[in-house]
Amino acid sequence: GVKAMEIDIKSPDGNIFAAMGIAANLMRQARRDTNDINRMRKAVMAAKSYKDACAVITEATFGSITFVNSDED
């Protein structure tokens, strides 16, 4: 199966474009449809905030990717 991972938002992977790439790779490994991946990318780009964009990625990866080290943690 696909390994769960945490992305530290203060690390380079926390950059939303980097996180989107990681999510796309994870989704590909899980044999997810290209349309699902494109939908995730569009939703991330349409997100009103970084927090919303992170939530899109977590949802699109069925919780496999979570984000840590926000000021709210």
Side-chain angles (χ1 to χ4, degrees):
V2 173
K3 201 162 59 78
M5 66 180 296
E6 290 183 337
I7 293 178
D8 181 337
I9 66 166
K10 292 181 169 61
S11 76
D13 285 345
N15 172 291
I16 203 61
F17 295 102
M20 207 167 28
I22 292 166
N25 287 338
L26 204 89
M27 291 170 79
R28 260 186 237 104
Q29 286 168 24
R31 306 246 185 277
R32 296 278 295 283
D33 192 272
T34 306
N35 291 326
D36 286 345
I37 296 170
N38 290 337
R39 255 193 302 278
M40 175 271 298
R41 283 197 176 111
K42 281 196 182 96
V44 168
M45 298 312 291
K48 300 278 186 259
S49 68
Y50 179 80
K51 188 178 175 186
D52 288 353
C54 292
V56 167
I57 288 174
T58 298
E59 191 179 317
T61 60
F62 301 121
S64 293
I65 294 178
T66 52
F67 293 83
V68 295
N69 209 1
S70 76
D71 296 330
E72 297 162 28
D73 288 346

